[in-house]
Amino acid sequence: MKLIGILICSLLSFQFTYAESGYQLWLRYHQIRNQKILIEYQHNIRLVYIESSSPTSAILKSEIVNGLKGLLNKKISITKNKVEADLLFNINTKTATNSEEGFDIHSIKNKDNKFKVYISAKKDIGLLYGGFHFLRILQNEQSIDTININSSPSLSIRILNHWDNLNRSIERGYAGISIFNWHTLPDYIDQRYIDYARANASIGINGTVLTNVNANATILTTSYLLKVKALADLFRPYGIKVYLTARFSAPIELDKLKTADPLNSEVQRWWKNKAKEIYELIPDFGGFLVKANSEGQPGPQNYGRSHSDGANMLADAVAPYHGIIIWRAFVYNNEIAEDRFKQAYNEFKPLDGNFKKNVLIQVKNGPIDFQPREPFHPLIGAMPKTPMMMEVQLTQEYLGQATHLVYEAPMFKEILQTDSYVKGTNSSIASIINGDLFEHQQMNGMSGVANIGNDINWCGHPFAQANWYAFGRLTWNTNLTSEEIATEWIKQTFGTQQESIKSIQKIMLGSYESMVEYMTPLGLHHIMGNGNHYGPLPWGNSFSRADWNPVYYHKADSLGIGFNRTSSGTNALSQYNKEVQIKWADSSTCDEKYLLFFHHVSWNHPMKSGRNLWNELCYTYNDGVERVKEMERLWISTKNNIDGDRYHQVEQLLKIQLKEAEWWRDACLLYFQTFSKQPFPKNFPLPPHDLNYYQSLQFPYAPGNAQ
Ligand code: BDP
């Protein structure tokens, strides 16, 4: 008997664990907890009417039926009779939203005190987005008797960039191998592909670049294009367009052309034929994303041509099919004796006006490289004649990788809200990339370097899913706050228990600042491990390329620390508008979060707190560590409300995060102390090891360094 009891218990707990593996992301559709709300929903939603019979509306139908079944714990039927339905999805070309993707949701009360909910859109994809939004409202247990929503996307291109290789390794991936199994495609359709598309559609993501920016030309061969077609066909009804990365030297590598010179007519013909072949297979193919003449990738400059020559050649090839070219501005060259910060701007700004209409320039959020904190990239807003996309990194290459809980929405918001002053005040980065500031620009968008792999929970760390979610929600509506997005995500992912929501909110909302503090406070940047970018390595100086070495970025010496980018230094600040320069040019008034990004200041530099810089550095590093301890305490307080599986995963990961935060603090401070020659403040927690110990640590198999 006892044995059977144990068996049943372990079976039950196994099922529970499996159910909360994280695979279902924010689409769990568990029954509504709040009884009053549940009764309101059950009373009012019984019959659903869906106009249109496209593949997209079939998806909508199954999502709504399954979603409502789970949330309301009752079977919901679909009716063909508009009059009897109480949840209606209508195609309506006159909806309030003028976007092809937008939707309206309204509820109207009847005489019998019941109400009907109307969801309308110009197109069936708008209905699908509206359906997902309606399910989100229910998952958040909001009342539906007075809904009045008009929703359309802030950005037209909301796209994931997968840095996935054809052998399924993922550059900077920390959640397993690629979900795209090129070997078994096109014949084997993994359920993952469908669930991936569903998840993206549920948050409004409408594009995906399937392959790494460090591109492999093989993806452009016919047999691989057939595999791409299989994915494109699957993703289409979810409103997702497929894009590929184009290796600039592909004509040479695949068809033995003598050159890849963009002005050579044979090369032009090759790309035109390739585009034709692709569009015959995939009529709505999005276009190409290109990393050229950057970190060893081939590009037009190999032939003495400019970025616009290269981009325009490809743009001509896809233009007949309405394709676009997303050309990256992430370029820097160690052979040019110039601050890496300045190089993209120097190269691209003079090209403004030279690009074809179907080219967008994709710029990283900051001028260096997805660092924990950077000021906005000065190129954003500096090319008014050229549509521009901003690229952010969801995968946490520089943000604690697989093991740190870092909610990135506050970082995205910080950049989006910054005023660039390119057209006077109110020139926020958001208003540039959403096209408000330069109204003539037809295209706009944002890219997120994906954090998705084949781990059971998709993103590795259970909280990393929140960054995928936040990217989608923010690109749909750049006005949403980090808190709003976090709250939605928490309720959908962990449930609606008030107590735990508050604690998890606190954990998430403080996590970004905490990570900046224990890794790169006060404007420090790029001081992590060589190559794998794991852990602290401020002493790193072994690369032959100066601009890959941490010492190039912090410039610590006996006089002080920081990178002088003012007029007495590299003058990178001059790439910003005057008003921005004024904010950051003077070390005594510069926003302290960017101090060492723009200034080399003395170890005794007076800080706003009244401390000198050295002491401030010590305390800030330590504050970051203390905040992780607080995150641990908050997480423990959620124990009774979180399923055991995810609770223990996060509990263990927070322990690693704390250990690594302390490691960052101790290693960096011991190293910087060799220059400051100042003692640690009184009662400061002293490092348990000496500097030699930290310098001896090696991580030959740190993840994410795939080839
Ligand atoms: C760097 C990554 C490298 C990428 C590069 C890029 O370390 O793996 O290829 O960005 O964005 O941050 O092209």
Side-chain angles (χ1 to χ4, degrees), residues 248-271 298-299 302-303 305:
F248 207 77
S249 51
I252 303 175
E253 288 168 36
L254 298 184
D255 281 315
K256 300 205 168 43
L257 264 63
K258 297 232 159 49
T259 175
D261 181 349
L263 299 194
N264 175 294
S265 56
E266 240 186 293
V267 173
Q268 293 169 352
R269 201 169 326 115
W270 189 91
W271 282 106
N302 297 25
Y303 309 95
R305 313 297 183 195

Side-chain angles (χ1 to χ4, degrees), residues 202-323:
S202 75
I203 50 175
I205 289 174
N206 66 357
T208 177
V209 184
L210 301 173
T211 47
N212 192 352
V213 284
N214 295 322
N216 183 333
T218 308
I219 195 70
L220 300 176
T221 58
T222 306
S223 64
Y224 273 80
L225 289 175
L226 288 168
K227 298 168 192 277
V228 177
K229 173 186 162 49
L231 291 177
D233 289 346
L234 271 184
F235 296 167
R236 186 169 300 114
Y238 292 88
I240 299 168
K241 276 190 184 176
V242 157
Y243 298 71
L244 293 175
T245 47
R247 185 160 165 85
F248 207 77
S249 51
I252 303 175
E253 288 168 36
L254 298 184
D255 281 315
K256 300 205 168 43
L257 264 63
K258 297 232 159 49
T259 175
D261 181 349
L263 299 194
N264 175 294
S265 56
E266 240 186 293
V267 173
Q268 293 169 352
R269 201 169 326 115
W270 189 91
W271 282 106
K272 283 191 170 143
N273 287 338
K274 192 46 79 185
K276 184 163 178 278
E277 182 186 356
I278 295 175
Y279 280 94
E280 270 164 18
L281 293 170
I282 309 165
D284 59 348
F285 177 68
F288 293 122
L289 168 68
V290 189
K291 171 176 177 179
N293 295 118
S294 164
E295 301 185 327
Q297 293 299 302
Q301 293 178 337
N302 297 25
Y303 309 95
R305 313 297 183 195
S306 68
H307 283 285
S308 50
D309 291 331
N312 290 343
M313 184 264 298
L314 292 175
D316 282 341
V318 296
Y321 317 97
H322 310 291

Side-chain angles (χ1 to χ4, degrees), residues 163 171-172 213-214 291 295 328 330 364 369 397-398 533:
W163 285 0
E171 181 147 346
R172 312 309 176 182
V213 284
N214 295 322
K291 171 176 177 179
E295 301 185 327
R328 293 176 93 225
F330 178 65
K364 289 189 180 180
D369 192 358
E397 173 180 2
Y398 300 97
H533 299 162

Side-chain angles (χ1 to χ4, degrees), residues 65-137:
V65 169
N66 286 333
L68 293 179
K69 186 171 154 226
L71 289 163
L72 274 53
N73 191 20
K74 82 174 205 199
K75 190 173 175 320
I76 302 290
S77 307
I78 300 282
T79 172
K80 291 206 167 109
N81 181 350
K82 256 186 174 187
V83 180
E84 62 174 11
D86 31 42
L87 172 59
L88 294 93
F89 289 87
N90 290 313
I91 295 283
N92 177 358
T93 48
K94 295 200 192 79
T95 52
T97 151
N98 50 19
S99 150
E100 299 281 288
E101 296 177 302
F103 57 85
D104 297 346
I105 310 183
H106 298 290
S107 55
I108 297 174
K109 228 176 204 137
N110 289 341
K111 283 182 226 97
D112 58 359
N113 229 10
K114 286 184 61 191
F115 44 86
K116 291 193 180 222
V117 180
Y118 295 88
I119 301 183
S120 26
K122 286 193 183 357
K123 296 233 159 110
D124 53 3
I125 185 62
L127 290 186
L128 182 63
Y129 288 145
F132 274 119
H133 195 75
F134 181 68
L135 289 169
R136 183 158 39 241
I137 291 172

